[in-house]
Amino acid sequence: MSNTWGETASLTIFGESHGPCIGAVLDGIPAGVSLDWQAVSQEMRRRAPGRNELSTQRREHDVFSVESGFFNGFTTGTPLCVRIANEDQRAEDYARLQHIMRPGHADYSGSVRYGGYNDYRGGGHFSGRLTAPLVFAGAVAKQILALDGIAIGAHILQLGNICDRRFCSLGKDKALFGRLSQNALAVLDPTKEEAMEKAILQAKRDGDSVGGIVECMITGLPAGMGDPFFDSVESKLSHMIFAIPAVKGVSFGDGFALAAMTGLEGNDSFYYDDGGRVRTRTNHNGGINGGITNGMPVLFQAVIKGTPSIAKEQDTIDRSSGTNCKLSVPGRHDPAIVQRALPAVEAAAAWTVLDIMLTAKSGRPYDGK
C-alpha cells in the first residue's frame, strides 16, 4: 500500500475517518516560501462537512496544526507536516457494518485486500474524509504556483441531469476562479444553482444521492511542461485525480466529444498573438499535445458518482455468516458529494502541477521565475 505520490514534491496522506486524526506530510516544498494560513483555512472550509443542508451533518471544522517545516513565517525546506483532528466521530454507527458490506464502498474489496484488518468505521482510510489533508496540500501548492502566475479553478459542470455551461477554454476571465470559490454551488450560470439545489434536496428526501461532473481549468502553465507516454501531463493528473474517492472518469479538453469530430474539427490551429506568443484559436485538446503543455489553459473534467451511502434498501452480503442480506445506511451522509469534491479536484491538480514544475526546475530555489 502506498500513501505517497509525487516525484519532486511528494505527498503522504495518513489517518482514518473515525481515528483520532488525519493529516499529511508535504515533502519537497522549497525553502523561503511565505504561506497565508488564512487562505489555506478558506480552502479547507470549502470542503468541510456540515456547512449547510446540502451536505452531511457531520461537523468537522478541519482546524489544522502545522507540526513541522514552517518557521519564522517561511517554509524551511524540510517536510511540512499537518495534523487535522477528527472532532465529530460516531464509530458506534458502524459497529454492525464490520461484516455487512456496503454496496459502492471499498468495504468488500478493502477487507479482502487487507485480510479483514482494515478500519471499517466510516470507510477508514478509504473515506472521503481523507480529502481534507489533500485540500490542505493543494492550498499550499496553489500559493507556490501563484508565484509563477499559475491559477487553478473549477465549477460544477453537471449535477444529476442539470448542466452548467462550460469554461471558456481559452481562459480569458482572470477573476473568475475567485468568484467561483465563494459559492456553495460553484456554477458559471447562476440560473442553474436553484435547480441543482432542488435536485440535491430531492435526493436527500428520497434517501438517495446524485452524482455529477467537475470541470477544472489550469491557467498560466508555460509550454513545454511534461513528458510523452508514461509521464504525460494527462497521465499524472489522472493518476492524482483518481485518488479522490468517488471519481470514476477523467477526460481532457473536449474529451469523449472528440470521437464525433473529424481531425480538422478536433485540431487546434496555431497563431502568433500581438505579443509574439504562440497561441491556439481553439482548445479542443485541453492545452496538452503529446503529453506536454502547449501554453494554453489545461482543461479537464472529472466524473463524480453519487454518494454510495444511501438510506434506500439494497442487496448485499454478510461475510460473517456467508449469507445474502439487505442493507440501508441511515445517518449523516452527503446527498451529493460533487460540491465538496470540487476543491479536492482543484487541490489534486495543484499538487500535480507543483510536482511537474518543481521537477522541471530541478530543485533550484523557488523564485517564481
Side-chain angles (χ1 to χ4, degrees):
M1 183 179 192
S2 176
N3 294 304
T4 300
W5 186 94
E7 182 179 350
T8 301
S10 65
L11 174 63
T12 301
I13 290 177
F14 62 85
E16 289 81 30
S17 176
H18 287 262
C21 72
I22 53 177
V25 177
L26 290 60
D27 205 355
I29 297 292
V33 178
S34 175
L35 294 174
D36 180 348
W37 296 121
Q38 286 190 340
V40 173
S41 294
Q42 175 59 33
E43 290 290 292
M44 301 289 284
R45 283 192 292 272
R46 294 175 63 203
R47 191 222 68 93
R51 295 175 61 195
N52 51 48
E53 60 181 341
L54 303 180
S55 72
T56 172
Q57 293 310 294
R58 176 176 179 175
R59 296 194 177 276
E60 296 285 359
H61 296 96
D62 286 351
V63 176
F64 56 85
S65 172
V66 176
E67 306 292 337
S68 66
F70 193 77
F71 182 65
N72 282 341
F74 295 93
T75 57
T76 63
T78 57
L80 186 70
C81 178
V82 63
R83 180 182 181 276
I84 305 166
N86 286 329
E87 302 171 294
D88 190 7
Q89 307 169 55
R90 292 186 188 175
E92 64 276 6
D93 289 355
Y94 298 91
R96 70 188 184 97
L97 297 177
Q98 182 176 1
H99 304 294
I100 298 177
M101 305 291 101
R102 295 172 299 170
H105 279 280
D107 295 353
Y108 173 69
S109 56
S111 178
V112 172
R113 172 67 175 82
Y114 299 109
Y117 290 101
N118 56 298
D119 185 342
Y120 57 84
R121 300 169 301 170
H125 189 69
F126 296 96
S127 172
R129 177 84 185 115
L130 274 294
T131 58
L134 173 60
V135 170
F136 174 90
V140 170
K142 281 184 177 182
Q143 293 189 40
I144 300 173
L145 293 171
L147 299 173
D148 265 336
I150 298 169
I152 298 170
H155 73 111
I156 302 172
L157 179 61
Q158 183 174 340
L159 190 141
N161 60 6
I162 305 159
C163 296
D164 191 18
R165 67 172 183 264
R166 292 192 60 188
F167 273 132
C168 170
S169 63
L170 303 182
K172 294 181 177 180
D173 188 348
K174 303 301 182 183
L176 179 59
F177 295 165
R179 295 198 299 271
L180 287 171
S181 68
Q182 302 301 313
N183 298 336
L185 292 176
V187 290
L188 301 176
D189 181 353
T191 66
K192 302 293 185 179
E193 188 170 348
E194 183 179 357
M196 288 186 180
E197 183 173 331
K198 287 181 177 179
I200 295 172
L201 294 177
Q202 185 61 54
K204 186 176 183 178
R205 287 190 292 270
D206 293 342
D208 211 338
S209 63
V210 63
I213 299 174
V214 171
E215 184 174 50
C216 185
M217 178 179 281
I218 307 165
T219 62
L221 265 175
M225 295 291 105
D227 292 288
F229 295 105
F230 308 119
D231 284 331
S232 71
V233 173
E234 294 107 324
S235 299
K236 288 195 169 186
L237 280 168
S238 297
H239 189 162
M240 190 56 139
I241 298 301
F242 274 119
I244 300 170
V247 170
K248 301 303 287 185
V250 176
S251 63
F252 290 84
D254 285 350
F256 290 97
L258 287 165
M261 296 182 185
T262 66
L264 178 62
E265 291 169 334
N267 283 342
D268 300 305
S269 58
F270 292 103
Y271 72 100
Y272 286 106
D273 68 11
D274 293 339
R277 297 176 302 174
V278 175
R279 312 293 288 171
T280 61
R281 299 191 185 279
T282 55
N283 196 10
H284 301 300
N285 293 276
I288 304 168
N289 297 126
I292 299 170
T293 58
N294 63 18
M296 298 298 291
V298 169
L299 187 68
F300 69 89
Q301 302 81 35
V303 176
I304 313 293
K305 71 175 183 176
T307 317
S309 289
I310 57 174
K312 283 186 176 294
E313 189 174 78
Q314 303 173 81
D315 292 319
T316 189
I317 57 172
D318 185 332
R319 295 196 74 201
S320 64
S321 62
T323 59
N324 297 321
C325 63
K326 300 286 187 179
L327 173 69
S328 64
V329 187
R332 308 170 299 170
H333 305 293
D334 288 277
I337 203 70
V338 182
Q339 71 276 20
R340 293 183 59 217
L342 188 148
V345 170
E346 291 182 13
W351 191 264
T352 304
V353 172
L354 179 64
D355 184 48
I356 291 170
M357 294 295 290
L358 290 179
T359 299
K361 290 174 180 290
S362 301
R364 294 191 297 272
Y366 204 92
D367 56 5
K369 298 178 181 179

